[in-house]
Amino acid sequence: MSLKLGDVVPNFTQASSMGEINFYDWAGDSWVVLFSHPADYTPVCTTELGEVARLRSEFEKRNVKTLALSVDSVESHLGWIKDIEEVNNVKVDYPILADEDKKVSELYDMIHPNSLNNLTVRTVFIIDPQKKLRLTLTYPASTGRNFAEILRVIDSLQLTDNYSVATPVNWQDGQECVIVPSINDEEAKEKFPKGFNTVKPYLRLTPQPNK
């Protein structure tokens, strides 16, 4: 199954380091970052799982739950978590799915045979409260993921879901936004009382509406 942006992601029930998880029930009304790992006790992933634990408060204030996945067993995960906590000086207080049967990996198309044989590639899925897929990022095994970028994308998605704006290149929370082209200038004057700067007829910049 190849998931596309805007698709409703499939539900699943799978064992994890924190007990059995029914994904839809566990996610509830939260956003979710689901991120996969090729195997336990891998060096790059050890640093990533620690970073996600360190960023717990940043995810929580955005109403985001984090969920990792690896194709090893719960027992293996519990041993690996001890290493992650020691190396990164954190508490891993979010679940790691134990996808031994590769059920979730296949549902979410995480097996790329030309890259990692039958192991999962390192993909990030951002899923909204309606269970729709909003972003995917797939990394090679050798490159650590940038979770500051993942938080930035979540900020953009949550902003643009609620206001008639898009976010320009390298945008950070608090910076100017782009007024979407479907809003004409007259409507823009009403919607954006802080005003806007017309760079080109199709490129109008306005202060971030919720700041």
Side-chain angles (χ1 to χ4, degrees), residues 156-194:
S156 174
L157 288 169
Q158 293 182 346
L159 172 68
T160 58
D161 277 358
N162 293 305
Y163 298 91
S164 300
V165 294
T167 55
V169 62
N170 297 332
W171 174 86
Q172 298 288 336
D173 186 41
Q175 294 180 348
E176 285 188 318
C177 301
V178 174
I179 299 173
V180 296
S182 59
I183 303 293
N184 65 37
D185 282 353
E186 287 305 309
E187 292 173 306
K189 288 174 185 176
E190 291 185 15
K191 280 182 171 285
F192 304 102
K194 297 176 187 175

Side-chain angles (χ1 to χ4, degrees), residues 23-129:
F23 178 64
Y24 278 16
D25 291 344
W26 175 84
D29 294 327
S30 298
W31 290 70
V32 174
V33 172
L34 169 62
F35 60 114
S36 57
H37 304 271
D40 291 359
Y41 298 101
T42 49
V44 173
C45 296
T46 297
T47 65
E48 292 179 327
L49 286 157
E51 178 67 0
V52 170
R54 190 184 68 79
L55 291 170
R56 159 66 72 187
S57 63
E58 293 298 320
F59 286 113
E60 284 183 344
K61 74 183 186 182
R62 293 166 172 83
N63 187 32
V64 178
K65 293 182 176 179
T66 54
L67 180 62
L69 174 147
S70 176
V71 295
D72 290 312
S73 67
V74 169
E75 183 180 9
S76 176
H77 287 358
L78 294 176
W80 186 27
I81 285 169
K82 292 178 184 176
D83 280 4
I84 296 163
E85 292 181 337
E86 178 187 347
V87 168
N88 298 281
N89 192 29
V90 293
K91 176 70 174 174
V92 177
D93 56 357
Y94 60 90
I96 306 173
L97 292 171
D99 196 34
E100 289 185 280
D101 58 5
K102 300 183 176 68
K103 178 176 68 179
V104 180
S105 302
E106 290 171 358
L107 265 180
Y108 282 69
D109 195 28
M110 299 182 201
I111 307 289
H112 295 193
N114 292 330
S115 175
L116 284 174
N117 193 11
N118 67 340
L119 300 177
T120 52
V121 292
R122 296 170 57 255
T123 299
V124 179
F125 301 87
I126 296 179
I127 300 160
D128 71 18

